[in-house]
Amino acid sequence: HVLVLTVLSSRYRFVHPLLAAAKFAEVAESAISVLAQSNFLISVVCNISQIVSLDIDEDTMKSMLFSVGTSCFSLGLGFAGRDSSTECIDGLPGRIKGWGLGRMALVAVRSCEVGSRFLAINLIHVAVRAHRFRFGAPAVVVALVLLSFLAFHRHARLADVFAGAFAHPGQLLEPSSLLPTRRSLAIHALLTVCAATLQIMSCQQVESFLEWFP
């Protein structure tokens, strides 16, 4: 059915609504997969006893790491496509044409952006998991969606608001974009500060931190 919808979209020069919905569903599935697998890997690195006790073999861990890297690259590639000259956001086309060094550098930056978001989310989850709060990652994702809504709701579609939880939903190379990059940078900086602070407090076993999760 995807092939038929693609042919129809190409024939009539518009993206069929069902094809767009399938694309968003695929992105959501990939994001959830990365979140779950990266959470497992970081839990192993941080020596979470419930995860370590599963005694997963090295080949499985490498396979999972490869899967996470591939998914981050795939998501980064999708977000980089927003700066393509063939894509328009709020009627404003991107600046990148073809596959030059600029396009490849943008894909690398976007992939790192996605990866760092997932890393920060899972570091927060691991930091609070040890203190009886088991829903750190879902809570952080909900908070990021709310922040994305506050930052972009006037001009972004609902799908872009949800995408803003994992990367900047607009164009990086277009300063006149209605989805300004500085707002995503502020969200990312806040997330990074929270992740770093909670990790430091957790490692040092600060008394006030333990009082939050008795």
Side-chain angles (χ1 to χ4, degrees):
H1 67 281
V2 174
L3 178 61
V4 173
L5 292 175
T6 302
V7 172
L8 288 175
S9 298
S10 177
R11 172 67 176 80
Y12 295 103
R13 298 184 180 277
F14 80 100
V15 179
H16 193 281
L18 290 178
L19 184 61
K23 180 180 178 181
F24 295 142
E26 183 180 352
V27 171
E29 179 185 4
S30 180
I32 293 173
S33 174
V34 175
L35 186 61
Q37 293 184 78
S38 59
N39 179 270
F40 187 91
L41 290 172
I42 292 174
S43 295
V44 172
V45 173
C46 294
N47 201 31
I48 301 298
S49 59
Q50 295 92 332
I51 303 299
V52 175
S53 63
L54 296 176
D55 196 23
I56 304 298
D57 62 89
E58 185 177 351
D59 289 338
T60 301
M61 296 293 293
K62 289 180 179 180
S63 176
M64 196 177 299
L65 182 61
F66 177 78
S67 177
V68 169
T70 302
S71 296
C72 285
F73 174 78
S74 177
L75 289 170
L77 183 64
F79 280 109
R82 295 169 182 254
D83 277 286
S84 173
S85 59
T86 58
E87 294 286 338
C88 289
I89 297 181
D90 291 322
L92 187 65
R95 297 188 174 191
I96 297 292
K97 296 181 179 180
W99 275 95
L101 290 177
R103 181 66 170 267
M104 289 187 288
L106 182 62
V107 171
V109 169
R110 287 299 224 166
S111 299
C112 291
E113 178 189 9
V114 172
S116 61
R117 281 282 178 103
F118 284 113
L119 175 61
I121 291 171
N122 284 305
L123 285 177
I124 292 175
H125 178 81
V126 169
V128 300
R129 178 187 175 92
H131 304 285
R132 301 180 186 178
F133 188 72
R134 306 295 185 182
F135 305 100
V140 174
V141 172
V142 170
L144 288 173
V145 171
L146 291 176
L147 288 173
S148 178
F149 176 79
L150 293 174
F152 304 114
H153 73 280
R154 291 185 179 181
H155 303 289
R157 299 168 298 174
L158 184 59
D160 292 331
V161 169
F162 281 99
F166 305 109
H168 177 56
Q171 300 155 319
L172 287 183
L173 305 180
E174 183 50 69
S176 59
S177 173
L178 295 176
L179 306 179
T181 306
R182 65 179 181 276
R183 295 182 184 177
S184 282
L185 290 175
I187 293 174
H188 198 84
L190 178 62
L191 179 66
T192 302
V193 169
C194 288
T197 301
L198 286 172
Q199 280 294 316
I200 292 173
M201 296 174 73
S202 180
C203 291
Q204 294 180 348
Q205 296 292 299
V206 177
E207 183 178 355
S208 60
F209 179 76
L210 296 177
E211 290 176 354
W212 297 348
F213 305 98

